[in-house]
Amino acid sequence: MAGLCAAARARELGAEPVVLEKGDRPGGSMLLSSGVVWRYRTLEEYRAQCPGGDPALQRLIVERLDDALDWLERLGAPVGARETGNPLTVGRRFEPRGLTEALTRPTTEIQLGRELDDLTEPPLILATGGFPVRFAREFGLISRSNPWSDGGGIDHAMGRGASLSGETDEFYGRAMPDCSFGEGDFVRLAQLYGRFAWVVNEHGERFFDGPVAWHENDLVQAIARQPHGAAWYLLNEEALEERVRERRVADMVDSARAAGAPVVEPRELAFPTPEDAVVAVRVRAAVTHTIRGLPIDTQAQVSPGLWAAGVDAGGWSTGGYASGLAAALVLGLTAAEAALS
């Protein structure tokens, strides 16, 4: 999303941008997302939710996002909803394929199957989606991103003297059923009810202390540190009737069962379980995008002639969870404007 936003904005400003797309289609992981582009209602809430982040970058996203959402609509991106369903956030839900098409229409040239090389001339905006594929492989986790975001942009910048922000292994991800699934299942099969479950690892040990955050990203990262990056979600009848936005927990469990994941009666497990538990679902931590990235300023600049946007840039969600699509949108626009100023 960040690269397409930057290219569309650069075109508006009179440039003829070229998008080098490593994959075989534009859109990156945006095309595989739920399409919700959001921000926290206030900067104070953003700071509370992502306390390790750069306050200046967080302010930039809060202050620019609403106008940027209007810009997307002017491009023709189809809006599915104007509310996020979360009292902490504001934003809009776009249909991902329509959003991708709206952003590709204004772009002068998109070269598919192209990787960065040393011949790429400035100004250059890096928007390659971080390194979730490499991260998942290194830590033995599931990748829940497009298959091309393996750190190419960050490696390119580091080859030009840049460094990574922070020293954290944080990532944004979801608990997914422990089975095979395709790109079209990323949203549908997400198991978003850890806050209602009794959560244990494969040895029956509880490993997460305290309440689960509304986004459940904290629980997913804890699961990633367990053997095989896996856990069991144990649910009672009351939990099955809880709702997460438009879905019941029972519906999400049914989706996992239909996909072939281990969904069993708790008594079948090799360890003691709560007496009222009626179903157990095996899940694994899946990586959507990395959080560590390239340090940038409020113009999205890494170094002279080089900018970074989206999750190639670090510092905007450290210590918590914020919208990757919002960062892609705002930083993509900011980078294009700065590069052409």
Side-chain angles (χ1 to χ4, degrees), residues 262-318:
V263 179
V264 302
E265 293 184 11
R267 62 182 174 81
E268 297 180 38
L269 300 176
F271 47 79
T273 59
E275 289 185 2
D276 63 345
V278 296
V279 67
V281 184
R282 184 176 167 90
V283 300
R284 292 187 64 197
V287 183
T288 298
H289 68 69
T290 41
I291 288 179
R292 195 178 184 194
L294 299 166
I296 59 170
D297 61 19
T298 54
Q299 298 300 305
Q301 189 165 35
V302 178
S303 58
L306 186 66
W307 288 260
V311 293
D312 276 358
W316 49 269
S317 65
T318 311

Side-chain angles (χ1 to χ4, degrees), residues 38 40 43-59 61 131 164-172 215 217-218 221 289-296 310-324 327 331:
W38 58 272
Y40 288 105
L43 178 60
E44 291 72 22
E45 186 63 44
Y46 198 161
R47 294 290 305 139
Q49 294 283 342
C50 301
D54 183 336
L57 293 179
Q58 293 172 341
R59 180 182 296 278
I61 291 170
F131 53 101
L164 279 175
S165 64
E167 296 181 358
T168 175
D169 288 330
E170 289 180 281
F171 65 92
Y172 161 60
H215 45 73
N217 195 47
D218 52 351
Q221 292 183 86
H289 68 69
T290 41
I291 288 179
R292 195 178 184 194
L294 299 166
I296 59 170
V311 293
D312 276 358
W316 49 269
S317 65
T318 311
Y321 169 58
S323 170
L331 296 178

Side-chain angles (χ1 to χ4, degrees), residues 66-151:
D66 294 356
D67 288 341
L69 293 172
D70 292 340
W71 177 80
L72 285 179
E73 285 200 56
R74 289 195 297 273
L75 289 183
V79 177
R82 298 186 181 278
E83 298 290 339
T84 64
N86 183 340
L88 297 178
T89 67
V90 294
R92 297 171 209 173
R93 181 189 292 269
F94 295 88
E95 194 284 308
R97 189 164 298 280
L99 175 58
T100 303
E101 291 173 354
L103 287 169
T104 56
R105 279 194 295 270
T107 304
T108 304
E109 184 178 354
I110 300 176
Q111 298 180 8
L112 300 178
R114 279 291 308 275
E115 297 194 41
L116 288 169
D117 55 49
D118 293 336
L119 301 179
T120 306
E121 297 181 358
L124 174 63
I125 299 172
L126 299 173
T128 63
F131 53 101
V133 174
R134 186 164 70 196
F135 187 99
R137 183 172 60 247
E138 290 177 356
F139 288 90
L141 306 176
I142 298 173
S143 176
R144 186 179 174 267
S145 76
N146 76 79
W148 306 293
S149 290
D150 59 359

